[in-house]
Amino acid sequence: MTETAIVAGAAGFLGSHLSESLLNDGWTVIGIDNLSTGATANLRTFRKNPNFRFLKRDLTRRVRLPPATAVFQLASPASPPHYQRDPLACLSVNSFGTAQLIEHAHVSGARFFLASTSEVYGDPEVHPQPESYFGHVNPIGPRSCYDEGKRYAEALTAAWERTKGVDARIARIFNTYGPRMALDDGRVVTQFLVQGWTGAPITVHGGGVQTRSFCYVSDLIAGFRKLYDSSVKGPVNLGNPNTEMSMNDLAEKVRELTGGRSTVVHSERGQDDPERRRPDISRAKELLGWEPKVPLDEGLQRTSEDIQARLKRAARALAKATRSEGTG
Ligand code: UDP
């Protein structure tokens, strides 16, 4: 049977990589995005694939969805500066948006896949974080639109599963990086690389001893595909436990990688910023036979090359625009 996937958030970082992976395996993909944080440039490598169709739709409003055999919910801002810019939209797409998609999966008899997050653990008191940990989340803080939005989306998915028998999978995604992240994404890897390549100061928030564990995008997408294909119920952590590091160490690594022109400065740290984060991926290892393979240095190198190339293109476009303004 030919599989037809709705990928909500297809023009985003993860949505575009997932769409490409499915198309490469012969799937038909209907990509949906409101382009609030995604970009059509992310669709460039497969936009002309006859098995791909793009629909610009806003899932915070009622939309009509085409039939599908799989529904992937990846539509949500994921970067703290982005979701904090419009917390109501973030809550809405994760609640109402997820509800529409899961209802559609139920009606179509499709499998539903929810992209959840390590943010459901909040600022964790348990380290590393297993799926059995219920989390430590401030329900009214500046991150709550995302944390609670995703917690609600998980609750909704579990309830549809329990009461209506929807066939669902839930991935809890830990910090992921790689090509196609927006240059103004604001998350730490892109932010540091853009700063490093433009010679701007690298801005470490607070003292910089807080940690994250970074997973390269191809590893994460491989995990998505394995989880989707499995019969595993309940949330599964997907992330790289081998790369936990402080933001100070990451800043130094990126500074060196980008030629050492930048200084490192310390700026204000956001409220409720988690102190430590590392996935316990025992479940993914045992049940899916999955674990990340790409070493941090290699992933950073690839991401760095992508960012450098896009910065050069942007500089050339700006120079051209300035020249034509001068002659116009
Ligand atoms: N961070 C930083 N400088 C930046 C952006 C982020 O030091 O320019 C820190 C941020 O405070 C957090 C960590 O990097 O401690 C990871 O932040 P990110 O926004 O990438 O993702 P999060 O894991 O917090 O959702």
Side-chain angles (χ1 to χ4, degrees):
M1 185 180 65
T2 318
E3 294 264 25
T4 300
I6 290 176
V7 176
F13 167 50
L14 295 181
S16 67
H17 283 283
L18 173 66
S19 298
E20 191 164 29
S21 163
L22 296 169
L23 287 163
N24 286 342
D25 284 344
W27 286 50
T28 294
V29 174
I30 300 151
I32 294 180
D33 208 297
N34 69 351
L35 301 178
S36 64
T37 58
T40 49
N42 287 339
L43 310 172
R44 198 170 41 86
T45 53
F46 53 88
R47 182 86 202 236
K48 296 214 170 86
N49 185 318
N51 293 333
F52 179 71
R53 185 151 64 100
F54 181 69
L55 303 174
K56 185 169 182 286
R57 297 279 187 279
D58 183 354
L59 287 165
T60 66
R61 292 162 191 274
R62 170 78 47 203
V63 295
R64 272 173 46 154
L65 296 164
T69 56
V71 177
F72 291 87
Q73 162 50 328
L74 277 70
S76 172
S79 145
H82 287 173
Y83 61 68
Q84 288 174 28
R85 197 166 58 202
D86 195 348
L88 293 176
C90 179
L91 282 162
S92 185
V93 75
N94 281 296
S95 54
F96 182 69
T98 303
Q100 285 198 78
L101 290 167
I102 201 163
E103 189 180 340
H104 183 66
H106 176 59
V107 171
S108 320
R111 183 168 293 176
F112 179 73
F113 184 100
L114 176 67
S116 184
T117 170
S118 58
E119 285 277 334
V120 299
Y121 304 122
D123 186 6
E125 294 151 310
V126 170
H127 191 77
Q129 296 80 52
E131 292 86 349
S132 54
Y133 177 48
F134 292 164
H136 178 227
V137 173
N138 175 355
I140 55 162
R143 300 175 82 96
S144 64
C145 58
Y146 188 64
D147 302 12
E148 298 292 11
K150 290 288 186 187
R151 287 170 70 99
Y152 177 84
E154 285 199 14
L156 195 64
T157 304
W160 272 93
E161 209 170 15
R162 210 173 280 128
T163 61
K164 314 267 187 198
V166 166
D167 184 21
R169 306 287 179 275
I170 300 175
R172 287 190 181 151
I173 306 166
F174 285 65
N175 297 67
T176 303
Y177 69 101
R180 293 192 193 148
M181 288 180 100
L183 295 176
D184 66 350
D185 179 86
R187 276 175 288 186
V188 71
V189 174
T190 26
Q191 190 72 359
F192 284 4
L193 281 168
V194 169
Q195 289 166 336
W197 280 122
T198 55
I202 294 180
T203 52
V204 172
H205 295 168
V209 293
Q210 69 271 30
T211 70
R212 295 292 187 274
S213 307
F214 298 102
C215 184
Y216 189 66
V217 63
S218 60
D219 280 332
L220 186 87
I221 299 299
F224 274 11
R225 300 291 309 274
K226 284 203 163 185
L227 176 58
Y228 179 85
D229 287 341
S230 77
S231 53
V232 175
K233 296 288 167 195
V236 178
N237 286 341
L238 295 176
N240 192 333
N242 309 318
T243 58
E244 184 182 5
M245 59 162 54
S246 72
M247 296 310 102
N248 285 332
D249 287 349
L250 180 68
E252 203 38 56
K253 210 177 229 316
V254 170
R255 207 178 77 80
E256 279 169 27
L257 180 65
T258 53
R261 282 184 301 149
S262 292
T263 53
V264 174
V265 297
H266 290 263
S267 58
E268 203 187 333
R269 180 142 175 237
Q271 190 195 322
D272 301 330
D273 186 21
E275 202 52 48
R276 297 191 300 169
R277 186 182 287 155
R278 170 153 53 105
D280 178 335
I281 59 163
S282 313
R283 242 169 92 74
K285 270 187 181 168
E286 276 162 33
L287 302 176
L288 307 177
W290 173 86
E291 61 183 315
K293 296 195 178 79
V294 180
L296 185 67
D297 285 342
E298 191 183 321
L300 278 181
Q301 180 63 38
R302 289 191 214 161
T303 311
S304 173
E305 283 165 13
D306 170 68
I307 285 184
Q308 202 185 6
R310 283 190 286 151
L311 285 171
K312 277 189 188 152
R313 276 204 296 276
R316 274 201 301 272
L318 186 65
K320 198 172 157 196
T322 315
R323 270 200 309 277
S324 59
E325 238 173 59
T327 54

